[in-house]
Amino acid sequence: MMNFILRGFGSYAPERILTNADLEKIVDTTDEWITTRTGIKERHIAADGETTSSMAFESSKKALADAGIEPAELTHIICGTFTPDSMIPSAACRLQEKLGIKGQMCVDVQAACSGFLYALQSGRGYLCLEPESKVLVVSSETLSRRMNWEDRATCVLFGDASGAAVLTGGEITDGPRVLDVMLAADGSLGDLLTVNGGGSAYSYALGDTVGPEYFVEFQGREVFKHAVRNMTSISEAILKRNGFEKSDVDVLITHQANMRIIDAVGRRFNIPEERVFVNIEKYGNTSAASVPVALDEAVKTGFIKKGDLVLTPTFGGGFTWGAALIQF
Ligand SMILES: CC(C)(COP(=O)(O)OP(=O)(O)OC[C@H]1O[C@@H](n2cnc3c(N)ncnc32)[C@H](O)[C@@H]1OP(=O)(O)O)[C@@H](O)C(=O)NCCC(=O)NCCS
């Protein structure tokens, strides 16, 4: 049985911070509403010229340094994102150029907020085919450029960031092991969370005005309900498939979409608050970047300790969802 080792982690968020107080000046909202409904206090916003691939470059450099692996050793670059710099080329190709390397397979994986786990599972697949692979699994999102800044229901929730990890084969002693990843989707619910503009179903022409459909739109309550239900059910399934009980989970790192969603999932697993990693107050929802940024912070701050079994459920547009089990 092959080991899937996460050799290094890295994360990055833009310098500029947008607080709830700043948002009070932009839309009809309050710090109190945002804090009690979501847990978010502030989020990071990309500077002019910063892009999904430039943020991915920053987090990837840190992950590679943490892993002790040179960029040129990489064999695959997989980027989970729904906000690539451009339709063509992919963010992964742009990132490869920034890393100053050539030849590796580069691909973007679009699974909205579940992008990191989808990218990680793809990386495990490539490793099975080519066991000597060194795979950069990175997620990066410039959500601030996909926000309708006149829509208070959406623009207060999201932020920009990137997180990365280097995945290789190896011995159990080489680092944290990805024991399993489970993924799922239900396309019949796709219309509940969308960015339709720019897609081929929406024809547009030179000179057209950009409408709200070019930005993130969702039905919050419906998304909330499905997020809790599906993150819970896939977490139960992955634990069962690997012979674990709920009580075996040492650390829970869910997708950071809403503090009330995180709490609800934690409660269903009877995981005490102090074992649930939360950084949503600093970043908001950074979509695919959420889980790898949280993993990096949880590792670097000592929140995750050697021997811990970590469960990371995630949920996003599509709908897509998934969970990974990582043994540190
Ligand atoms: C979006 C979300 C925070 C809204 O919380 P909610 O408790 O469901 O609130 P509702 O949408 O029912 O809105 C309640 C009221 O607050 C208002 N409201 C919405 N956004 C507001 C804001 N930023 N500031 C103040 N009031 C706001 C609504 O207009 C509504 O007013 P009304 O009752 O007069 O119509 C919550 O549903 C959520 O987090 N959903 C998941 C969304 C998500 O994370 N999606 C990404 C993919 S994982």
Side-chain angles (χ1 to χ4, degrees):
M1 178 69 181
M2 180 158 192
N3 291 312
F4 301 95
I5 310 286
L6 290 170
R7 290 195 186 253
F9 298 95
S11 62
Y12 171 81
E15 210 172 299
R16 184 177 160 212
I17 288 173
L18 188 71
T19 65
N20 291 349
D22 296 329
L23 277 166
E24 287 178 356
K25 295 175 200 136
I26 300 173
V27 286
D28 180 16
T29 192
T30 59
D31 171 47
E32 201 262 332
W33 192 95
I34 302 171
T35 305
T36 53
R37 297 292 178 121
T38 72
I40 302 165
K41 297 300 280 182
E42 57 188 38
R43 65 289 290 144
H44 293 252
I45 303 290
D48 290 347
E50 262 189 316
T51 63
T52 291
S53 71
S54 72
M55 292 192 292
F57 177 55
E58 298 301 329
S59 65
S60 299
K61 274 192 298 190
K62 292 181 192 170
L64 286 161
D66 194 28
I69 288 175
E70 292 297 324
E73 295 176 59
L74 291 173
T75 54
H76 303 71
I77 299 177
I78 311 175
C79 183
T81 186
F82 81 89
T83 54
D85 305 26
S86 49
M87 297 287 280
I88 300 174
S90 66
C93 283
R94 290 287 190 206
L95 170 60
Q96 181 197 40
E97 183 195 14
K98 290 182 171 66
L99 288 166
I101 52 178
K102 286 182 187 178
Q104 299 75 9
M105 194 202 95
C106 294
V107 68
D108 287 358
V109 172
Q110 204 282 67
C113 301
S114 306
F116 183 74
L117 291 194
Y118 271 70
L120 181 63
Q121 185 72 320
S122 307
R124 294 200 328 143
Y126 295 123
L127 260 169
C128 289
L129 293 168
E130 300 163 50
E132 300 307 315
S133 299
K134 292 181 179 169
V135 185
L136 178 61
V137 183
V138 52
S139 282
S140 188
E141 300 278 20
T142 320
L143 295 168
S144 59
R145 303 216 175 100
R146 283 291 162 269
M147 283 303 112
N148 172 354
W149 290 101
E150 293 179 10
D151 178 13
R152 67 178 183 174
T154 51
C155 75
V156 303
L157 298 178
F158 295 90
D160 301 333
S162 177
V166 184
L167 180 73
T168 72
E171 303 300 319
I172 288 181
T173 48
D174 288 345
R177 275 180 307 145
V178 181
L179 299 183
D180 199 5
V181 178
M182 274 178 88
L183 303 172
D186 183 351
S188 73
L189 299 170
D191 287 339
L192 294 172
L193 172 49
T194 56
V195 182
N196 279 317
S200 60
Y202 278 67
S203 60
Y204 50 99
L206 271 179
D208 282 359
T209 311
V210 170
E213 69 276 14
Y214 281 77
F215 305 99
V216 173
E217 297 181 299
F218 60 69
Q219 293 180 33
R221 288 220 169 153
E222 283 301 304
V223 177
F224 191 107
K225 218 168 53 190
H226 287 281
V228 173
R229 190 182 300 155
N230 290 322
M231 285 202 281
T232 302
S233 62
I234 204 156
S235 296
E236 286 168 350
I238 199 171
L239 287 175
K240 189 165 179 219
R241 182 157 96 174
N242 290 275
F244 290 113
E245 302 291 334
K246 287 179 179 176
S247 55
D248 292 320
V249 176
D250 296 301
V251 172
L252 177 70
I253 299 185
T254 79
H255 170 47
Q256 308 282 302
N258 183 318
M259 192 60 223
R260 291 184 295 147
I261 295 178
I262 300 170
D263 280 343
V265 176
R267 274 198 305 276
R268 280 162 175 73
F269 281 82
N270 302 322
I271 298 180
E273 261 174 43
E274 62 275 13
R275 303 266 59 203
V276 179
F277 186 82
V278 176
N279 63 7
I280 191 171
E281 71 286 358
K282 293 191 290 180
Y283 298 106
N285 181 347
T286 60
S287 184
S290 156
V291 165
V293 168
L295 269 174
D296 181 47
E297 289 194 345
V299 170
K300 305 272 166 69
T301 57
F303 191 95
I304 296 175
K305 302 200 170 41
K306 198 163 169 41
D308 279 351
L309 181 68
V310 178
L311 173 68
T312 69
T314 187
F315 181 85
F319 287 148
T320 58
W321 61 99
L325 267 180
I326 307 171
Q327 180 73 69
F328 277 79

